[in-house]
Amino acid sequence: MSHDLNAAQREAVNTLSGPLLVLAGAGTGKTRVVIYRIAKLIKSGVPAQRILAVTFTNKAANEMRQRTTALLGRRRGQQRPEISTFHSLCVRVLRRHITVLGYPKRFAIYDRADQESVARATLREIKVPGETLRPSDFLYFISRWKMASVRPRKATSLAGTDKEHLAAVAYRRYQNNLKSKGAVDFDDLLLLTEELFEKYPDARRAEADRFDHLLIDEYQDTNGSQYRIIKRLAIGHRNLCVVGDDDQSIYGWRGAEITHILRFERDWPRATVVRLEENYRSTAAILERANQLILFNKNRHDKVLRAARHGGEPPRILQFKDETAEAEGIVQDLKKRLAQRGTVPRDFAILFRTNEQPRAFEMVLRKENLPYVLVGGMSFYDRKEVRDLLAYLKVLANPHDEPSLLRIINTPPRGIGQATVKRLLDLAVSNGKSLWSTLGSPAARAEAGDKAARSIGQFRATIESFRSRVGHDSLSRLVSELIQKTGYTSELSRIYTDPTEREARMASVEEIVNAVANYEKQAQKPTLSGYLEEAALGDRDDTTEKDSQLARNAIALMTLHSAKGLEFPQVYLVGLEEGILPHHRSVAADGDAIDEERRLCYVGVTRARDRLTLSLALTRKKWGKARDSQPSRFLYEFTGQAELLKAKKASAQTRLKATTRRKSRSPARR
DNA sequence: GCACTGACCGTTTTT
DNA sequence: CGGTCAGTGC
């Protein structure tokens, strides 16, 4: 089996017990090693279900599942290794033990929109005006604290600014509000698992005992909670294999700490360390530049990627007048290459730092009639229609789910306006009851007025009649009838007069009906709450959506963040300007934010197999106004001209000179 | 209660 | 510039 692996890969695959750190550079066959290692473990007699592999994204988990199945073969009744994301792992743990923490067994998982709704209500309760602390800022603070396992009490003492102090006070209240609704947010999934393991050693032991081997993918992206959870799960058997690349840590802004991978050997004494340094993906010409660039980072494991593929075209740097010229120039260049024999649209990727960049490219691509996919972008579950219908389902599952109830109580409009809702909410709060219970009370009828009261009555009757059918009728039937009964689609065609938009909205509705039907088909025991959990975790099998997106023969447009783990024969990395890459927020922040931007750039560069083109615009419109752009510092580093940049920094005059000189000749011509 | 208007704000991202 | 949201007039 392992004849097609190199020596380092073989060592990583064959080191079956004890702590193992696999430092896998870009394009060194990391996923392959993980999968082969799982297969090897099983072959050596470890029962498959005693192996747990953890990934960060569903995409990665799906891919790993597929490739493991392909390698092991599909035999009936055969046990499979457990492959899951951190979050769904925690959900399963919490389903078994959460009652000891004072949450209901069937706790709800609140997503970002639900969180905002609770945050808004919380801030209203303690009478914080919107301009003092916005719900989004508030959530940002809490999220930071949670990822560092900071509880409300500690947050109060940590708070420096007034805003933070206010957020710390509201934090406790927010947690209580969630808890009283029997709900947890995404960060809680990790935080509560950690708390459970800390306070209840028996629960920790029971969970740790389920597995003999633990594999963690993308270890460089672990945040504090995840780090501690892993530790507590693996401490008994020490059969912990972590795989990652410190040079590709790009999620620091959401709590990932690169120190975790850097200090693995100290955490786990006598750990084996394997370095995968042979890159099979990119040509030497591309890799040479990547290596040069990443050398500018200080905090990293020492390693140098060696190219298995010699030679290759040196990367080009193209410079344009503005972002429109950039898009046109790049697309023209791409078109020329596409005309070459054996080249197809799928070979190309255009990578960028921010989400506003693809707009110009989309326009040109559409004009040129070239097939493209914007990967990422708005996800299925972000679409308004999907959220609405999901809210209906959530209310059917639990009518006391207030964020969902508020979302649908007047969607489509049925005469229960803002004022009425506000009054009913106040009534509910003063009675200490849920909004749903309040809706049926005589007091509510008096509060709402005749017309609204009638609407409320009808709404309640509809919900109740569907609720009584949950568990009896099929889910997909329930959903389509719900859409009918509420007049949801007729409302859509009323609001959206533009035919293309209307069609898109209708398609979303259709998609959720399909998603439910799909779930019903493949789940062993389909239930409403089961579907909602899958939806909340994004855990659905989206082979239908994203994979077909990529499989479609189209040029891929995506952010550097979503490009991680992928590769393309030809890559255009665009917008290499100060303020974009590196992003201005990272430039302004002190500390090592720039290093993360450099890693991001490195990730982009190492996506390319054969050809790499970097580009920049000299002016760029920002919020409607054109502003001058400076070439990214990474361009200088990458081409070995960092000295020039230092000189530029020393004096504004030289800076001007250097830039004008740059204009006349392309900055990268060696 | 609803639709329309204008002020405001600003972009890495996943679960 | 484009999207979101609160406020206004009907």
Side-chain angles (χ1 to χ4, degrees), chain A residues 131-146:
Chain A
E131 62 272 21
T132 316
L133 182 64
R134 281 173 314 165
S136 57
D137 290 340
F138 169 55
L139 284 175
Y140 173 78
F141 285 132
I142 316 186
S143 184
R144 295 302 292 244
W145 283 322
K146 287 192 180 183

PDB file of all heavy atoms in Angstrom, chain A residues 131-146:
ATOM      1  N   GLU A 131     -26.081  53.269  19.678  1.00  0.00           N
ATOM      2  CA  GLU A 131     -24.839  53.954  19.280  1.00  0.00           C
ATOM      3  C   GLU A 131     -23.712  53.742  20.296  1.00  0.00           C
ATOM      4  O   GLU A 131     -22.549  53.956  19.983  1.00  0.00           O
ATOM      5  CB  GLU A 131     -25.090  55.442  19.002  1.00  0.00           C
ATOM      6  CG  GLU A 131     -25.588  56.271  20.168  1.00  0.00           C
ATOM      7  CD  GLU A 131     -27.117  56.250  20.263  1.00  0.00           C
ATOM      8  OE1 GLU A 131     -27.749  55.322  19.703  1.00  0.00           O
ATOM      9  OE2 GLU A 131     -27.674  57.161  20.897  1.00  0.00           O
ATOM     10  N   THR A 132     -24.074  53.325  21.504  1.00  0.00           N
ATOM     11  CA  THR A 132     -23.032  53.069  22.503  1.00  0.00           C
ATOM     12  C   THR A 132     -22.341  51.737  22.239  1.00  0.00           C
ATOM     13  O   THR A 132     -21.116  51.638  22.277  1.00  0.00           O
ATOM     14  CB  THR A 132     -23.635  53.047  23.923  1.00  0.00           C
ATOM     15  OG1 THR A 132     -24.538  54.140  24.032  1.00  0.00           O
ATOM     16  CG2 THR A 132     -22.560  53.165  24.980  1.00  0.00           C
ATOM     17  N   LEU A 133     -23.152  50.717  21.990  1.00  0.00           N
ATOM     18  CA  LEU A 133     -22.582  49.403  21.729  1.00  0.00           C
ATOM     19  C   LEU A 133     -23.503  48.668  20.757  1.00  0.00           C
ATOM     20  O   LEU A 133     -24.625  48.316  21.107  1.00  0.00           O
ATOM     21  CB  LEU A 133     -22.446  48.615  23.036  1.00  0.00           C
ATOM     22  CG  LEU A 133     -21.817  47.232  22.939  1.00  0.00           C
ATOM     23  CD1 LEU A 133     -20.380  47.310  22.488  1.00  0.00           C
ATOM     24  CD2 LEU A 133     -21.900  46.515  24.275  1.00  0.00           C
ATOM     25  N   ARG A 134     -23.007  48.477  19.552  1.00  0.00           N
ATOM     26  CA  ARG A 134     -23.839  47.804  18.565  1.00  0.00           C
ATOM     27  C   ARG A 134     -23.839  46.300  18.813  1.00  0.00           C
ATOM     28  O   ARG A 134     -22.829  45.758  19.253  1.00  0.00           O
ATOM     29  CB  ARG A 134     -23.336  48.101  17.156  1.00  0.00           C
ATOM     30  CG  ARG A 134     -23.774  49.468  16.655  1.00  0.00           C
ATOM     31  CD  ARG A 134     -23.104  49.759  15.349  1.00  0.00           C
ATOM     32  NE  ARG A 134     -21.673  49.419  15.467  1.00  0.00           N
ATOM     33  CZ  ARG A 134     -20.867  49.295  14.440  1.00  0.00           C
ATOM     34  NH1 ARG A 134     -21.327  49.441  13.233  1.00  0.00           N
ATOM     35  NH2 ARG A 134     -19.592  49.023  14.625  1.00  0.00           N
ATOM     36  N   PRO A 135     -24.958  45.645  18.510  1.00  0.00           N
ATOM     37  CA  PRO A 135     -25.030  44.201  18.734  1.00  0.00           C
ATOM     38  C   PRO A 135     -23.869  43.448  18.090  1.00  0.00           C
ATOM     39  O   PRO A 135     -23.336  42.514  18.683  1.00  0.00           O
ATOM     40  CB  PRO A 135     -26.356  43.817  18.070  1.00  0.00           C
ATOM     41  CG  PRO A 135     -27.178  45.044  18.121  1.00  0.00           C
ATOM     42  CD  PRO A 135     -26.222  46.190  18.016  1.00  0.00           C
ATOM     43  N   SER A 136     -23.453  43.869  16.896  1.00  0.00           N
ATOM     44  CA  SER A 136     -22.373  43.142  16.212  1.00  0.00           C
ATOM     45  C   SER A 136     -21.050  43.283  16.967  1.00  0.00           C
ATOM     46  O   SER A 136     -20.304  42.316  17.116  1.00  0.00           O
ATOM     47  CB  SER A 136     -22.236  43.631  14.779  1.00  0.00           C
ATOM     48  OG  SER A 136     -22.009  45.014  14.766  1.00  0.00           O
ATOM     49  N   ASP A 137     -20.795  44.493  17.491  1.00  0.00           N
ATOM     50  CA  ASP A 137     -19.567  44.691  18.272  1.00  0.00           C
ATOM     51  C   ASP A 137     -19.620  43.874  19.561  1.00  0.00           C
ATOM     52  O   ASP A 137     -18.643  43.253  19.966  1.00  0.00           O
ATOM     53  CB  ASP A 137     -19.383  46.170  18.634  1.00  0.00           C
ATOM     54  CG  ASP A 137     -19.051  47.006  17.416  1.00  0.00           C
ATOM     55  OD1 ASP A 137     -18.592  46.405  16.410  1.00  0.00           O
ATOM     56  OD2 ASP A 137     -19.280  48.219  17.452  1.00  0.00           O
ATOM     57  N   PHE A 138     -20.789  43.901  20.150  1.00  0.00           N
ATOM     58  CA  PHE A 138     -21.002  43.154  21.383  1.00  0.00           C
ATOM     59  C   PHE A 138     -20.713  41.667  21.158  1.00  0.00           C
ATOM     60  O   PHE A 138     -19.960  41.034  21.904  1.00  0.00           O
ATOM     61  CB  PHE A 138     -22.454  43.387  21.840  1.00  0.00           C
ATOM     62  CG  PHE A 138     -22.914  42.497  22.952  1.00  0.00           C
ATOM     63  CD1 PHE A 138     -22.212  42.427  24.146  1.00  0.00           C
ATOM     64  CD2 PHE A 138     -24.066  41.735  22.808  1.00  0.00           C
ATOM     65  CE1 PHE A 138     -22.652  41.611  25.180  1.00  0.00           C
ATOM     66  CE2 PHE A 138     -24.510  40.924  23.828  1.00  0.00           C
ATOM     67  CZ  PHE A 138     -23.794  40.849  25.014  1.00  0.00           C
ATOM     68  N   LEU A 139     -21.262  41.133  20.084  1.00  0.00           N
ATOM     69  CA  LEU A 139     -21.040  39.723  19.783  1.00  0.00           C
ATOM     70  C   LEU A 139     -19.571  39.438  19.501  1.00  0.00           C
ATOM     71  O   LEU A 139     -19.048  38.379  19.840  1.00  0.00           O
ATOM     72  CB  LEU A 139     -21.885  39.290  18.582  1.00  0.00           C
ATOM     73  CG  LEU A 139     -23.367  39.091  18.875  1.00  0.00           C
ATOM     74  CD1 LEU A 139     -24.126  38.790  17.597  1.00  0.00           C
ATOM     75  CD2 LEU A 139     -23.565  37.970  19.884  1.00  0.00           C
ATOM     76  N   TYR A 140     -18.920  40.388  18.876  1.00  0.00           N
ATOM     77  CA  TYR A 140     -17.500  40.230  18.595  1.00  0.00           C
ATOM     78  C   TYR A 140     -16.709  40.091  19.900  1.00  0.00           C
ATOM     79  O   TYR A 140     -15.890  39.198  20.063  1.00  0.00           O
ATOM     80  CB  TYR A 140     -17.016  41.435  17.783  1.00  0.00           C
ATOM     81  CG  TYR A 140     -15.526  41.468  17.565  1.00  0.00           C
ATOM     82  CD1 TYR A 140     -14.940  40.658  16.604  1.00  0.00           C
ATOM     83  CD2 TYR A 140     -14.713  42.292  18.341  1.00  0.00           C
ATOM     84  CE1 TYR A 140     -13.576  40.673  16.410  1.00  0.00           C
ATOM     85  CE2 TYR A 140     -13.342  42.318  18.155  1.00  0.00           C
ATOM     86  CZ  TYR A 140     -12.780  41.509  17.192  1.00  0.00           C
ATOM     87  OH  TYR A 140     -11.427  41.517  17.011  1.00  0.00           O
ATOM     88  N   PHE A 141     -17.011  40.971  20.856  1.00  0.00           N
ATOM     89  CA  PHE A 141     -16.334  40.891  22.162  1.00  0.00           C
ATOM     90  C   PHE A 141     -16.577  39.537  22.828  1.00  0.00           C
ATOM     91  O   PHE A 141     -15.656  38.886  23.297  1.00  0.00           O
ATOM     92  CB  PHE A 141     -16.826  41.995  23.103  1.00  0.00           C
ATOM     93  CG  PHE A 141     -16.294  43.369  22.787  1.00  0.00           C
ATOM     94  CD1 PHE A 141     -17.150  44.455  22.713  1.00  0.00           C
ATOM     95  CD2 PHE A 141     -14.928  43.574  22.572  1.00  0.00           C
ATOM     96  CE1 PHE A 141     -16.662  45.726  22.429  1.00  0.00           C
ATOM     97  CE2 PHE A 141     -14.437  44.842  22.284  1.00  0.00           C
ATOM     98  CZ  PHE A 141     -15.308  45.912  22.203  1.00  0.00           C
ATOM     99  N   ILE A 142     -17.854  39.146  22.879  1.00  0.00           N
ATOM    100  CA  ILE A 142     -18.175  37.887  23.559  1.00  0.00           C
ATOM    101  C   ILE A 142     -17.447  36.728  22.902  1.00  0.00           C
ATOM    102  O   ILE A 142     -16.925  35.847  23.570  1.00  0.00           O
ATOM    103  CB  ILE A 142     -19.680  37.544  23.499  1.00  0.00           C
ATOM    104  CG1 ILE A 142     -20.546  38.735  23.781  1.00  0.00           C
ATOM    105  CG2 ILE A 142     -20.022  36.460  24.491  1.00  0.00           C
ATOM    106  CD1 ILE A 142     -22.008  38.328  23.862  1.00  0.00           C
ATOM    107  N   SER A 143     -17.456  36.730  21.574  1.00  0.00           N
ATOM    108  CA  SER A 143     -16.839  35.634  20.856  1.00  0.00           C
ATOM    109  C   SER A 143     -15.353  35.531  21.201  1.00  0.00           C
ATOM    110  O   SER A 143     -14.824  34.442  21.420  1.00  0.00           O
ATOM    111  CB  SER A 143     -17.049  35.835  19.359  1.00  0.00           C
ATOM    112  OG  SER A 143     -16.539  34.744  18.659  1.00  0.00           O
ATOM    113  N   ARG A 144     -14.713  36.691  21.270  1.00  0.00           N
ATOM    114  CA  ARG A 144     -13.288  36.694  21.637  1.00  0.00           C
ATOM    115  C   ARG A 144     -13.103  36.084  23.019  1.00  0.00           C
ATOM    116  O   ARG A 144     -12.209  35.289  23.249  1.00  0.00           O
ATOM    117  CB  ARG A 144     -12.715  38.126  21.629  1.00  0.00           C
ATOM    118  CG  ARG A 144     -12.688  38.776  20.278  1.00  0.00           C
ATOM    119  CD  ARG A 144     -11.884  37.962  19.305  1.00  0.00           C
ATOM    120  NE  ARG A 144     -10.473  37.953  19.629  1.00  0.00           N
ATOM    121  CZ  ARG A 144      -9.524  38.470  18.850  1.00  0.00           C
ATOM    122  NH1 ARG A 144      -9.835  39.026  17.715  1.00  0.00           N
ATOM    123  NH2 ARG A 144      -8.251  38.412  19.203  1.00  0.00           N
ATOM    124  N   TRP A 145     -13.948  36.504  23.930  1.00  0.00           N
ATOM    125  CA  TRP A 145     -13.821  35.984  25.301  1.00  0.00           C
ATOM    126  C   TRP A 145     -14.064  34.486  25.332  1.00  0.00           C
ATOM    127  O   TRP A 145     -13.335  33.731  25.958  1.00  0.00           O
ATOM    128  CB  TRP A 145     -14.808  36.702  26.224  1.00  0.00           C
ATOM    129  CG  TRP A 145     -14.369  38.077  26.604  1.00  0.00           C
ATOM    130  CD1 TRP A 145     -13.084  38.470  26.874  1.00  0.00           C
ATOM    131  CD2 TRP A 145     -15.181  39.243  26.756  1.00  0.00           C
ATOM    132  NE1 TRP A 145     -13.054  39.814  27.186  1.00  0.00           N
ATOM    133  CE2 TRP A 145     -14.334  40.309  27.123  1.00  0.00           C
ATOM    134  CE3 TRP A 145     -16.549  39.487  26.628  1.00  0.00           C
ATOM    135  CZ2 TRP A 145     -14.795  41.605  27.363  1.00  0.00           C
ATOM    136  CZ3 TRP A 145     -17.018  40.771  26.873  1.00  0.00           C
ATOM    137  CH2 TRP A 145     -16.139  41.814  27.232  1.00  0.00           C
ATOM    138  N   LYS A 146     -15.119  34.074  24.638  1.00  0.00           N
ATOM    139  CA  LYS A 146     -15.465  32.656  24.690  1.00  0.00           C
ATOM    140  C   LYS A 146     -14.363  31.785  24.120  1.00  0.00           C
ATOM    141  O   LYS A 146     -14.074  30.717  24.657  1.00  0.00           O
ATOM    142  CB  LYS A 146     -16.770  32.409  23.922  1.00  0.00           C
ATOM    143  CG  LYS A 146     -17.997  32.911  24.649  1.00  0.00           C
ATOM    144  CD  LYS A 146     -19.245  32.382  23.989  1.00  0.00           C
ATOM    145  CE  LYS A 146     -20.478  32.881  24.716  1.00  0.00           C
ATOM    146  NZ  LYS A 146     -21.711  32.332  24.138  1.00  0.00           N
TER     147      LYS A 146
END
